[in-house]
Amino acid sequence: MNSFNNPISKTTFSLTTPLYYVNGLPHIGSAYTTMIADVIARWQRLSGCEVLFVTGTDEHGQKIQRTAEESGVEPQIHCDRIAASFSDLWDKLNIKYDRFSRTTAKNHQAIVKEFFERVWKQNDIYLDQQQGWYCVACEEFKEKRELLEDGCCPIHTNLKAEWRDEQNYFFRLSRYQKSLEEFYESNPDFIQPETRRNEVLNFVKQGLQDFSISRVNVSWGFPIPNDPDHTIYVWFDAPLGYITALLDENEEPTLDNALKKWYPFDLHLIGKDILRFHAVYWPAMLLSANLPLPKQVFGHGFLTKDGHKMGKSLGNTLDPFILLDKYGSDAVRYYFLKEIEFGKDGDFNETRFVNILNADLANDLGNLLNRSLGMLNKYCGGVLPPILGRNISDDNDVKQFGEAIKYRFPEGYKTYKFNLVCEDALILVRSCNKFIDESAPWSLYKKGEQKEVEKILYTVLESVRFSAFILAPIIPNISNKIYHQLGYNFDFNQTDLGVKTYIDKGHFEWGILPLNPNLPKPYPVFAKLELPITVDS
């Protein structure tokens, strides 16, 4: 069976973003991760898969407690405000998530307690003395060699680590050294991309050390079930929010109920800065609780702005709310999916952003549609007779490329090569512009070669349709506009389209366009953007 007819073999697919820490408003890094997750979820739905897409917020820990105190509000009020800002940003980004998990939700504590008790019964938790340097922002103990010369964390360079000497409960991570190594070896795709996998393997080979899973003098969190003087460490509590999210509304919060359908997750999508927790600590915790491990953890790269690391102290942060208000969700999604090879670090430059969007979406894709529909009205009265792809010559270069990428783009989505998916769609569009110029339908029309004109316009309009379909998980609003102008009545923002709407109607194929005789009046699908105003220094 061809890959475009059966893009995936599973009937369900579950994925998560991180549960974002609510010490501050969402930033472009968390927006990037969630955009990627949304595109993956949309692709899986488009392929006919039943999808559960989980995102949410991590809301416990000393950092949250201190931030709330500094703001003069209760921790829960602080968490509610920040969680709402994440939800607002996802709406602006056109993110179609299924569950928004919050670690302050009422049902979450029951899941944490049951999981803790499973691990406790394995004798994998014990009380001991903890000494070391602690980064409150990371909520993590750091080795001395990891800190900068001034004693600051290398991630939070304006915050000095604090010395701690206290009793904590520990998780026996060291017990799972061999089990994890065997799992990594037998599941080579578990950690992706390859560079992240190598980082984890090197870390584990150095020898795993037990890690603290409780804190004292921290009230904002769940108490240890058998010792309320200790609060469960945020990194032991937070990953269980993925499991809590699997509960149906009003369902009794038990592990059995949570795990019955969607677990294990097919994909945990994270930034590389939290790779160790998701690829080492979390799998060991799951092994201790006798639960299956996720299918894959993917740690993507960091974002920079104008070639420099972003930070408040540097004054060069990129506010995703401002960016979206100025340019819209499709523009932002397209740039970050096309211009950054997923898994690697990437850069945002506003001038480049505008130039890319104008060239690809306004000039190439948008103008091709307008140009072609204009010729359809002028030369064909807005109507094409029934023409299918099989009636276009196999020697046609545009058809040949369309036939080639129908096999390629599903694999691009499945392997997260979104930049290549975008490139294929744009190459198809650009080949159409070249095809029009070389075939000159205006000259053929003057010569009375009406059938040839119709075949040219069909070839081009079908390629625009196919490009819009290919790009629909990335730029769903623009794809909607294109499809509507070609006589379709779909909404790529629906989450229940699936097999019947798409695969059965052949939309994964090149050459299926049935032109509606009552097409709407053409209109631009993407308005050209103005270059940002720069101020000379």
Side-chain angles (χ1 to χ4, degrees), residues 144-162:
K144 182 67 175 176
R145 61 185 173 85
E146 293 182 273
L147 301 177
L148 303 176
E149 288 184 5
D150 61 0
C152 289
C153 166
I155 298 174
H156 303 97
T157 55
N158 60 343
L159 184 66
K160 286 193 175 184
E162 302 175 4

Side-chain angles (χ1 to χ4, degrees), residues 306-324:
D306 304 323
H308 301 287
K309 180 180 177 181
M310 284 184 272
K312 291 181 181 178
S313 60
L314 300 173
N316 69 336
T317 56
L318 179 62
D319 188 324
F321 288 97
I322 294 174
L323 191 67
L324 287 160

Side-chain angles (χ1 to χ4, degrees), residues 244-255:
T244 304
L246 301 179
L247 292 163
D248 291 332
E249 190 175 1
N250 299 321
E251 189 171 28
E252 183 183 0
T254 67
L255 286 172

